[in-house]
Amino acid sequence: MIERVRYPRICPVGDQALLVEFGASYSRRTSRQVLAFDNVMNRAPRGVCETAPTLKSVLIHFDPELIPARQVENWCRDQLAEIDWDTKTERLREGLRWKLPVVYGGEHGPDLTEIPGLSGQTERQFIDSHTSLDLDVVCLGFSPGLAYLAELPKIFDLPRRQSYGRPVPAGSILVANRQTVLPATPIPTGWRRIGMTPVPTFLPDRKIPFLLAPGDCVRFYPVSAKEAEKISPETFWDRLEHARSQD
Amino acid sequence: MPGLRIEQIPPGAALQDEGRPGYRRFGVTKGGAMDPYALAEGQALLQNKNGSAALEMASAGSRFRSLGCNLVVCTGAEMKLTVNGHRAPWRQTISLANDDYLEFGAFREGTYGYLHLPGGIQGPVLLGSRSAHAQAELGWRPQIGDRLDPVAAEWSDDTLRLPPPDYFSQRTIRIMAGPQTGLFREDDRRALEEAEFTVTATRNRVGVRLESTHGPMDAELGTSIVSDAIVAGDIQVAADGIAVILLADCQPVGGYPRIATVISADLHIFAQIPQDMKFRMRLVGLDRAVGELSELRREIATLPTKLEPALRDPRDISDLMSYSLIDGVVSGED
């Protein structure tokens, strides 16, 4: 028996976190509400330690000795009541807009050759679609810095492989389920690997070690392997530090 | 330079401190020592700062050679500890002379033991922590031939000890309901408190698979759940209906439903329950869970007041005739 739930819903997860859910599953609308609310949490009261968006919710981690759960919950409810979550969410998003180079196909994207059989698109059409949209960084998870980017057209509704192959390298461009995943470390995966970005997205020794953050936007553009060699990752990371220093 | 040379080390032994909070939104969970109380005991015994790292061991079979003079202390799950083959005390500072060797044998209780050095053990700091996180490939897992070096250059040779804590015998773990508890069948929810659970051999820092007298739970709803945030302590029911308690190194998001969550104050107690041991779970409310967390933090904060000078047991002293019986005495003004 599945109970009907009204969203947004707030519920404790253990004694040091609340989960604010905006829907039962991922949708573009839900995700935009999640990102907007996550942004509002920048103004959270003392005692709220960190927040993390997922595909459909925001986890709020707090110190219950500094602020009781009820107080965090009331603060969240006040915020939720003030905002028209259907129309105003766009304005509340504050992320960086990235243009990231990708070498598609070949040794950098060995699964691209399977695409015509899976999607009915030519490789060219598929790459054109993949590079024609601004994708939301909806959340990071699974492994450090791994970004979930959404939402892609129906032709990207590709099945995942049943089993995991050899780990794919950091920077792989993976597709399945109308999403693109960009891992920042080597990971095992059942997603299709269609390309590779020469820009690292996780540099542990940097002051800000992760290039992408939830709420950012990414548009990919195709480059040849030769062009990729000439790209300096520094320009991306310098931009990140410059932008965050303005915050 | 003081330090320890690693002559033997079991798989999984790694540096741990309080972990790396603040990176969850980037896909990194806090991690850190499986038993923060034991970590704090070592820090108190050596007057180390918060954030200092210790070597966490979940298996027997470590052997270290002292390079120069060292001071060490071991906390957490007690193992058979010897220095040059002679029994050595747990939860008590031990002075090592050059070339002494320190060996860790079988566990007498618990699951995670800790070796501490003055100021903590040196290691690379990644994202603000020295904690190793195997799945995320963060941090340092020392190998045979590596050195463990103390952060502090000097230390007091006072022999201090702490009384053993009582949580190693605790076999009731307190849990709280969570966002998905209501999705489970009533008999599965009841089983949380009524069934007896057993810690299986399938365990690591990510989680512990359980067996129960209730049998597998209804996993049908598992297929309808979308990935959502998970926290350490979440009791996840996978597709096979088996409950897994997620621990420090769990991923920040997971796709299986969670029937309940272990309260923060009992996480280290659960982590220390040995394999094949039975335990029960009891549901408590949020206020109780927070009260227990405050109590645990207070106990940790007051550890330095519980330090006591250790007077050596004459039976442990092989060269009693040459041993100065005055040195260990502490004046009333100290």
Side-chain angles (χ1 to χ4, degrees):
Chain A
M1 191 65 197
I2 305 282
E3 48 191 299
R4 270 192 90 76
V5 180
R6 280 172 61 90
Y7 296 105
R9 175 173 89 141
I10 305 179
C11 186
V13 182
D15 44 42
Q16 301 189 63
L18 288 178
L19 190 68
V20 183
E21 293 173 278
F22 286 86
S25 60
Y26 169 82
S27 73
R28 193 176 172 82
R29 182 173 150 242
T30 300
S31 171
R32 297 229 156 173
Q33 291 176 349
V34 163
L35 294 172
F37 185 72
D38 178 59
N39 196 45
V40 166
M41 290 306 296
N42 284 333
R43 305 195 304 261
R46 196 178 93 90
V48 171
C49 314
E50 59 178 318
T51 70
T54 74
L55 295 172
K56 64 185 180 77
S57 63
V58 180
L59 187 84
I60 301 167
H61 182 240
F62 59 93
D63 182 336
E65 285 196 295
L66 295 178
I67 186 166
R70 271 169 213 88
Q71 210 173 313
V72 181
E73 183 174 340
N74 288 340
W75 189 88
C76 291
R77 286 202 191 287
D78 289 346
Q79 304 303 314
L80 291 169
E82 269 178 29
I83 298 162
D84 175 349
W85 290 92
D86 274 332
T87 59
K88 300 265 172 67
T89 55
E90 202 58 32
R91 215 159 43 82
L92 286 166
R93 298 175 63 236
E94 266 176 33
L96 299 177
R97 301 178 84 84
W98 295 101
K99 281 191 166 21
L100 287 183
V102 174
V103 183
Y104 286 95
E107 58 171 323
H108 300 288
D111 298 339
L112 189 67
T113 54
E114 296 174 19
I115 295 300
L118 288 166
S119 71
Q121 304 272 306
T122 66
E123 290 181 19
R124 188 74 259 159
Q125 287 169 320
F126 196 78
I127 293 168
D128 285 348
S129 298
H130 200 248
T131 52
S132 67
L133 291 164
D134 291 325
L135 300 172
D136 290 336
V137 178
V138 292
C139 66
L140 285 81
F142 181 74
S143 61
L146 177 141
Y148 287 88
L149 302 154
E151 185 181 37
L152 288 157
K154 282 211 171 65
I155 55 160
F156 290 88
D157 200 2
L158 306 171
R160 279 180 271 184
R161 269 187 234 287
Q162 290 299 313
S163 61
Y164 289 2
R166 283 174 48 206
V168 298
S172 292
I173 303 297
L174 309 172
V175 289
N177 301 344
R178 297 182 68 179
Q179 290 175 7
T180 276
V181 162
L182 170 43
T185 58
I187 57 155
T189 183
W191 293 41
R192 317 271 163 178
R193 182 178 157 215
I194 60 165
M196 175 109 178
T197 178
V199 181
T201 53
F202 176 33
L203 295 176
D205 294 329
R206 284 274 185 162
K207 203 172 96 203
I208 304 167
F210 297 99
L211 189 71
L212 304 176
D216 285 358
C217 249
V218 174
R219 185 184 276 237
F220 295 113
Y221 66 94
V223 293
S224 68
K226 245 199 173 63
E227 286 167 327
E229 280 171 25
K230 292 191 201 115
I231 287 166
S232 155
E234 286 302 309
T235 53
F236 293 83
W237 285 86
D238 289 347
R239 188 186 158 222
L240 174 73
E241 271 168 29
H242 180 73
R244 294 287 182 238
S245 69
Q246 311 288 305
D247 286 351
Chain B
M1 288 295 283
L4 303 175
R5 168 90 57 208
I6 300 171
E7 295 188 338
Q8 271 175 41
I9 193 161
L15 290 203
Q16 295 295 340
D17 54 22
E18 285 88 348
R20 41 180 71 81
Y23 292 98
R24 175 180 261 280
R25 64 192 291 101
F26 299 107
V28 186
T29 39
K30 182 165 154 266
M34 294 293 272
D35 186 347
Y37 186 90
L39 181 70
E41 284 181 315
Q43 290 170 343
L45 280 157
L46 294 172
Q47 279 119 63
N48 291 350
K49 293 197 191 92
N50 279 351
S52 64
L55 184 75
E56 182 180 271
M57 294 170 283
S59 309
S62 301
R63 182 177 150 120
F64 306 92
R65 179 76 61 177
S66 183
L67 306 169
C69 293
N70 283 287
L71 186 71
V72 301
V73 72
C74 302
T75 66
E78 189 174 343
M79 302 162 82
K80 187 183 174 211
L81 182 67
T82 59
V83 174
N84 302 330
H86 299 287
R87 187 166 72 90
W90 202 259
R91 265 179 219 92
Q92 176 173 321
T93 54
I94 303 165
S95 293
L96 298 177
N98 186 40
D99 216 34
D100 280 354
Y101 67 93
L102 182 70
E103 276 184 301
F104 292 82
F107 283 93
R108 294 182 202 277
E109 61 181 357
T111 303
Y112 293 96
Y114 295 84
L115 167 65
H116 309 258
L117 297 179
I121 298 174
Q122 290 185 28
V125 178
L126 279 168
L127 309 182
S129 165
R130 292 188 175 87
S131 284
H133 188 316
Q135 281 70 24
E137 295 185 35
L138 292 171
W140 183 47
R141 275 163 290 161
Q143 308 295 317
I144 291 173
D146 287 343
R147 284 178 62 124
L148 300 179
D149 292 313
V151 169
E154 49 192 38
W155 49 83
S156 148
D157 268 331
D158 295 344
T159 305
L160 294 171
R161 72 178 176 199
L162 277 171
D166 54 13
Y167 62 84
F168 283 93
S169 56
Q170 191 173 318
R171 294 290 177 258
T172 302
I173 298 301
R174 287 155 304 177
I175 58 175
M176 284 174 59
Q180 292 156 359
T181 305
L183 301 178
F184 283 85
R185 273 193 346 223
E186 203 204 329
D187 66 314
D188 287 339
R189 278 182 275 149
R190 264 209 320 270
L192 285 176
E193 290 200 285
E194 289 173 2
E196 194 172 46
F197 292 84
T198 308
V199 168
T200 68
T202 310
R203 72 179 306 173
N204 58 21
R205 290 180 43 88
V206 174
V208 177
R209 212 171 134 89
L210 306 179
E211 270 171 16
S212 89
T213 50
H214 174 69
M217 298 188 187
D218 179 13
E220 269 304 292
L221 69 143
T223 53
S224 64
I225 296 287
V226 169
S227 288
D228 209 339
I230 48 183
V231 300
D234 271 354
I235 306 172
Q236 174 178 280
V237 179
D240 54 6
I242 303 296
V244 172
I245 299 189
L246 299 168
L247 294 171
D249 282 353
C250 68
Q251 292 167 4
V253 290
Y256 293 114
R258 275 87 63 195
I259 191 166
T261 302
V262 175
I263 69 170
S264 302
D266 282 359
L267 270 176
H268 68 295
I269 300 170
F270 172 71
Q272 289 285 19
I273 297 180
Q275 183 191 325
D276 299 331
M277 198 63 81
K278 292 179 178 4
F279 69 100
R280 288 187 176 273
M281 297 200 263
R282 191 155 56 81
L283 273 164
V284 295
L286 177 62
D287 291 342
R288 179 69 190 277
V290 173
E292 295 295 331
L293 176 64
S294 299
E295 173 62 17
L296 174 66
R297 286 180 177 175
R298 196 191 56 76
E299 272 182 45
I300 286 176
T302 55
L303 277 173
T305 67
K306 293 183 188 144
L307 294 172
E308 47 197 45
L311 297 176
R312 292 182 67 183
D313 184 337
R315 283 169 302 184
D316 290 346
I317 303 170
S318 51
D319 53 346
L320 187 59
M321 296 308 287
S322 64
Y323 188 75
S324 164
L325 292 171
I326 300 297
D327 275 0
V329 177
V330 172
S331 85
E333 280 137 331
D334 277 359

